[in-house]
Amino acid sequence: NYHQRMKVTGHNEISHLSESFNQMSERIETMEKLRNEFVSSASHELKTPLASMKILVESIIHQGITDPEMVKEFLGDVDLEIDRLNNIINDLLTLVQVDKQSLVLHKSAFPMQELIIRTMKVLNPIAEQKKIQLAFDIREGVYVDGDMAKLQQVLMNLVDNALKYTPEGGQVVVTLLRKDNYARILVADTGIGIPEADLPHIFERFYRVDKARSRSTGGTGLGLAIVRQIVEMHDGTITVSSKEGEGSLITVDLPSVEPPEKLQQEEVQP
Ligand code: ADP
């Protein structure tokens, strides 16, 4: 009963309880702060394309622009801003899903090399258009137990970045190898690279090395944050190394599994 409980709750226990309580409220405060920062960054990101659209539309209205060609050009720019808004909102929705852990992984064991080859085929036209040589180097086939669609999103994002931040005539290579019990995927480019001071931050939400440049390439600054979340949901790791003016290297390690046939054979054997 209450009195008995009061007796056993000695001074030490009370100070222990109050300490945990303080830690808990500090944690809640930090979470609240992070959430507020997220909401204000997100709002800021959404306001930028809106502001551009407002200027474009107002100049048509107030400057009495009637030349159909010019109106068409302005509307084309508005259309691009709408695309950008859509990209940001899609990325935000994915991020929130991953955050809530409500993103259900549809896992199956699959050969990573197949996913790489498939993704490269999708991205090849972009590389050709930018005159960048896109190649893959499958050193060893490795099976991974994961969500193929989500992991394809990871690859697409990484190779897309590599292509985005590499000038014409450059090279992007995706390598697959086995490293201990991991499938190691390397995405290397000969692009502009990332300054050393920015390296620790590039997986943060909304972080961009060069805001203007990233915006002009349609970046939201959310791609790598999403990529890291997906990789971590698969118990994997992602790291970056880079040298300004020389290129970047992203390394993704995902736990490997035995090929399904082998598993079955082992199960059948007595
Ligand atoms: P964004 O949508 O702006 O590309 P990301 O989250 O994908 O956002 O990347 C964050 C930032 O990291 C980018 O704005 C860019 O400055 C830098 N970055 C990412 N990948 C590369 C790369 N391969 N080469 C150079 N910079 C890169």
Side-chain angles (χ1 to χ4, degrees):
N1 67 30
Y2 177 74
H3 290 285
Q4 269 171 338
R5 232 181 316 153
M6 278 306 283
K7 264 188 227 153
V8 291
T9 314
H11 179 71
N12 275 344
E13 276 143 294
I14 289 179
S15 70
H16 184 73
L17 272 176
S18 86
E19 200 179 302
S20 348
F21 180 77
N22 283 339
Q23 279 172 357
M24 220 160 69
S25 41
E26 266 168 36
R27 224 172 306 157
I28 291 171
E29 241 170 67
T30 316
M31 266 163 58
E32 194 102 311
K33 202 170 147 238
L34 283 176
R35 204 189 52 186
N36 286 341
E37 275 171 18
F38 179 70
V39 170
S40 69
S41 310
S43 310
H44 177 77
E45 295 299 325
L46 293 170
K47 281 186 97 162
T48 312
L50 273 180
S52 306
M53 286 199 269
K54 180 108 180 128
I55 292 170
L56 287 161
V57 171
E58 283 191 339
S59 39
I60 296 178
I61 296 173
H62 298 305
Q63 289 173 18
I65 295 172
T66 48
D67 175 25
E69 277 309 307
M70 210 139 152
V71 171
K72 206 171 153 191
E73 198 187 315
F74 273 54
L75 289 179
D77 289 342
V78 171
D79 196 36
L80 286 178
E81 297 298 334
I82 292 174
D83 288 344
R84 179 168 305 176
L85 265 182
N86 244 331
N87 286 342
I88 299 172
I89 291 168
N90 284 337
D91 276 357
L92 283 172
L93 288 174
T94 310
L95 206 59
V96 169
Q97 255 188 337
V98 183
D99 255 7
K100 281 197 304 192
Q101 300 284 318
S102 64
L103 190 80
V104 186
L105 292 181
H106 299 287
K107 281 185 165 187
S108 63
F110 68 88
M112 197 63 203
Q113 59 275 20
E114 276 178 24
L115 191 67
I116 291 178
I117 294 166
R118 200 195 305 164
T119 310
M120 302 296 263
K121 275 191 189 146
V122 178
L123 291 170
N124 216 26
I126 302 176
E128 274 175 13
Q129 204 182 2
K130 275 203 75 184
K131 299 196 173 62
I132 294 172
Q133 195 196 334
L134 178 61
F136 55 82
D137 175 12
I138 309 292
R139 306 243 179 103
E140 199 177 342
V142 193
Y143 271 76
V144 163
D145 184 29
D147 186 317
M148 274 179 99
K150 291 283 163 291
L151 291 175
Q152 179 159 32
Q153 195 180 345
V154 166
L155 283 174
M156 294 270 273
N157 251 305
L158 295 177
V159 178
D160 188 53
N161 271 348
L163 293 172
K164 235 176 12 185
Y165 300 107
T166 298
E168 246 186 63
Q171 209 186 16
V172 174
V173 182
V174 179
T175 305
L176 174 68
L177 49 95
R178 184 188 292 274
K179 175 87 178 132
D180 304 322
N181 292 325
Y182 287 87
R184 175 163 286 183
I185 302 152
L186 304 162
V187 181
D189 66 59
T190 58
I192 56 172
I194 301 161
E196 208 179 326
D198 296 295
L199 278 178
H201 304 290
I202 64 159
F203 295 105
E204 289 168 13
R205 292 155 183 203
F206 303 112
Y207 195 86
R208 300 187 189 98
V209 173
D210 178 342
K211 285 217 167 210
R213 189 178 56 204
S214 164
R215 278 223 185 83
S216 71
T217 54
T220 62
L222 291 170
L224 286 181
I226 293 172
V227 161
R228 183 171 66 176
Q229 298 255 38
I230 295 174
V231 169
E232 287 178 353
M233 280 175 87
H234 283 84
D235 300 314
T237 56
I238 182 164
T239 53
V240 58
S241 63
S242 184
K243 207 154 191 195
E244 249 190 300
E246 289 185 16
S248 308
L249 173 70
I250 305 268
T251 306
V252 177
D253 281 338
L254 294 165
S256 65
V257 290
E258 294 296 323
E261 307 84 49
K262 207 173 163 191
L263 276 178
Q264 276 162 17
Q265 274 171 15
E266 275 168 10
E267 274 163 22
V268 172
Q269 278 165 12

